[in-house]
Amino acid sequence: MSNSSRVKTGPACDSPEAISLVRGALDKFNMDELMNCMHCGFCLPACPTYQQTGLESYSPRGRIALMKGVAQQQLAVDGEFEKNMFACLGCRACETACPAGVPYGSLIETAREVVADHKKETGRPPLVHRLVFKHLFPHPKRIKWLGNALWAAQASGLQKLADKTGLMRILPREMAEMQQAVAKVASPLARSKRAPVLKAEGETRLTIGLFTGCVMDVLFYETNQATARLLSKAGCDVVIIDNQACCGALHAHSGEMDGAIELAKRNIEAFEQAGVDFVVNNAGGCGAALKEYHHWFANDPHWTERAQAFVAKVRDANQLLAELPPLTFSKPLHARVTYQDSCHLAHGQGVRNQPRQLLRSIPGVEMIELKEADSCCGSAGIYNITNFDMSMQILDRKMERVKETQAHFIVTSNPGCLLQMKQGIIRAGLQGQMEAVHIMDLLDRALS
């Protein structure tokens, strides 16, 4: 391929703008990791966007080739590069498939950071972007205020009225469809009554700091409560730490690494002060970010050791519950159950068998293995909002597999996946036949 054909989508390589951009990118990218990609193609069958489009630039090896072009001063950071990088779900299925162990997840985050830096140099980021990443997610109280507003809309009937009268159609299509899948939000009063510590039932084996998340603790407050009850039943004192923050995953996935690192520092400090044995979460995406804090601080000697100590304590709830003495379930669930892997739990953290083990331990459950269970459902953080059409194509394919199971419950371990599967049930016309549920909620039902 000639140099001219490789750079035709961006500024000329010898232009001052292009040279300054790629020099900055060269400092960001880890060239050893980029060069480890052998372009063998093992990642292609695992990549949802490549499977949907057949485009090489929508595949992991294609995106890595584009990254190399930018890092080696052969391509500019332009709109085409941005489109290809942000079309990626970040599901990391390619990492599982890769025989060379290429850390694609960190590479795509770096590529998006390069795009974000370029935008900051050439103009201010869009208003919505600034509102979300600067003025919302770093501030837990503001997220709670939004949750209170959503609760008020639901409790007063405004949400149902807007839906029935067609007012929801004034929203963008992706928001109008998504709101149908949002469950009833816990009231501010209920959330205010949560005890800061839930003591273990019987002998205390461990003291757990529950990572409650940001949106998770508003939209899925009851799931956090169910998780705490399960851990308490398993012999853990469960501590709710007030000064914890968002995990930073959405910032990292969007190229806002400075913001992600600031959130990570707040969490490390909060859980250090709490002195807990483990930091436990119930969201695959959050857990993957928490377990990678030491990589985020690789170039910061003042925080590297503290980040490593924090990461050593992080556990997914499924992981820890599977290691503790078995729970005793008092309420059999006579139902067919299938499990949809959270991408960041399966591919990012390697937690696959533990959720299935826990589900099989519920009396009366018939486990039906879902074909392509570890392929992405299309949620991917906020991908189902920013890339709605592609997300729905991937979801519809997933729901064809889900239908084959004829399950009563489709279970997952991540809030984004749960909302996506709820939306999938609506799109597939399976209301009344199937329920999407977080694994912690289903386990909690069997304990009641």
Side-chain angles (χ1 to χ4, degrees):
M1 182 183 291
S2 68
N3 282 345
S4 61
S5 65
R6 294 175 76 173
V7 301
K8 64 183 179 180
T9 58
C13 274
D14 56 357
S15 73
E17 178 190 4
I19 292 297
S20 65
L21 289 176
V22 294
R23 280 179 182 160
L26 183 59
D27 294 336
K28 297 257 183 204
F29 281 114
N30 184 317
M31 288 305 297
D32 289 337
E33 292 176 350
L34 281 177
M35 300 308 293
N36 277 342
C37 177
M38 302 178 294
H39 302 281
C40 63
F42 276 84
C43 60
L44 301 183
C47 178
T49 53
Y50 179 78
Q51 290 300 308
Q52 287 294 324
T53 66
L55 296 174
E56 183 70 12
S57 60
Y58 272 38
S59 74
R61 73 175 182 185
R63 293 187 180 103
I64 288 174
L66 293 173
M67 294 178 208
K68 287 179 182 177
V70 166
Q72 294 175 332
Q73 305 185 22
Q74 295 171 331
L75 288 175
V77 181
D78 59 6
E80 188 68 17
F81 181 77
E82 177 183 358
K83 182 185 78 171
N84 290 320
M85 296 305 111
F86 280 88
C88 174
L89 292 146
C91 70
R92 297 170 66 172
C94 53
E95 290 188 15
T96 300
C98 180
V102 175
Y104 177 82
S106 64
L107 291 175
I108 194 69
E109 286 181 359
T110 300
R112 290 173 177 179
E113 185 181 3
V114 168
V115 171
D117 288 349
H118 174 212
K119 285 192 165 186
K120 289 170 187 173
E121 290 175 5
T122 56
R124 297 188 74 191
L127 176 61
V128 172
H129 187 96
R130 297 200 306 273
L131 287 174
V132 169
F133 292 108
K134 297 290 185 185
H135 303 293
L136 179 59
F137 281 104
H139 305 281
K141 287 184 179 179
R142 294 177 187 176
I143 294 175
K144 289 179 181 177
W145 293 340
L146 281 180
N148 293 346
L150 179 56
W151 170 82
Q154 291 177 335
S156 65
L158 285 176
Q159 186 183 28
K160 285 186 178 179
L161 179 64
D163 210 10
K164 286 181 179 179
T165 59
L167 283 175
M168 286 295 183
R169 287 197 291 270
I170 68 173
L171 293 173
R173 183 185 169 201
E174 56 270 24
M175 298 298 291
E177 286 202 22
M178 182 59 68
Q179 63 84 27
Q180 299 177 65
V182 175
K184 188 175 179 181
V185 176
S187 71
L189 179 61
R191 285 186 272 129
S192 70
K193 289 182 176 180
R194 177 167 60 190
V197 179
L198 180 62
K199 297 296 291 182
E201 292 192 11
E203 179 187 355
T204 299
R205 293 186 173 89
L206 297 168
T207 299
I208 299 302
L210 183 63
F211 185 82
T212 55
C214 47
V215 174
M216 183 78 192
D217 209 36
V218 173
L219 295 183
F220 300 100
Y221 171 81
E222 293 299 339
T223 303
N224 278 344
Q225 292 297 89
T227 306
R229 286 191 291 269
L230 289 163
L231 290 166
S232 171
K233 288 273 187 182
C236 302
D237 286 346
V238 182
V239 182
I240 306 297
I241 298 160
D242 283 337
N243 54 340
Q244 62 181 287
C246 170
C247 67
L250 288 179
H251 284 75
H253 299 335
S254 300
E256 296 286 341
M257 280 307 301
D258 289 343
I261 287 169
E262 286 306 308
L263 291 168
K265 288 179 179 178
R266 286 164 60 183
N267 284 320
I268 291 169
E269 289 179 333
F271 284 92
E272 278 178 346
Q273 293 168 9
V276 295
D277 297 314
F278 290 104
V279 179
V280 178
N281 72 92
N282 55 18
C286 293
L290 297 174
K291 287 183 177 180
E292 292 176 353
Y293 277 6
H294 56 311
H295 295 307
W296 295 5
F297 291 102
N299 298 318
D300 187 342
H302 298 293
W303 280 89
T304 302
E305 189 173 334
R306 294 173 70 180
Q308 288 172 341
F310 175 88
V311 169
K313 291 185 175 184
V314 175
R315 297 289 187 278
D316 179 78
N318 292 285
Q319 228 179 336
L320 191 62
L321 285 170
E323 294 171 3
L324 291 168
L327 293 164
T328 301
F329 296 103
S330 58
K331 185 178 178 183
L333 297 177
H334 299 292
R336 293 165 63 91
V337 174
T338 195
Y339 179 73
Q340 161 67 18
D341 285 285
S342 155
C343 292
H344 283 89
L345 189 57
H347 302 298
Q349 302 181 59
V351 177
R352 296 170 178 269
N353 295 327
Q354 296 93 325
R356 291 170 170 85
Q357 174 187 331
L358 291 168
L359 289 171
R360 290 191 180 98
S361 69
I362 303 174
V365 160
E366 180 188 358
M367 273 292 291
I368 309 296
E369 195 61 40
L370 176 66
K371 292 179 182 176
E372 301 175 4
D374 63 352
S375 69
C376 189
C377 65
S379 171
I382 55 173
Y383 191 92
N384 51 6
I385 296 174
T386 59
N387 296 70
F388 178 76
D389 290 337
M390 178 67 74
S391 173
M392 292 303 105
Q393 291 172 31
I394 293 167
L395 175 59
D396 290 342
R397 170 177 169 150
K398 172 65 67 175
M399 292 310 299
E400 289 301 315
R401 294 302 195 193
V402 172
K403 281 182 185 178
E404 293 171 2
T405 67
Q406 298 183 342
H408 301 109
F409 294 102
I410 171 74
V411 181
T412 189
S413 299
N414 188 60
C417 301
L418 180 57
L419 280 176
Q420 186 83 337
M421 299 316 298
K422 285 177 179 285
Q423 191 170 4
I425 287 172
I426 295 170
R427 288 175 65 89
L430 296 174
Q431 304 97 310
Q433 302 174 48
M434 180 182 294
E435 180 185 355
V437 61
H438 194 288
I439 187 170
M440 294 295 123
D441 290 315
L442 194 66
L443 292 169
D444 187 56
R445 289 186 198 182
L447 279 180
S448 300

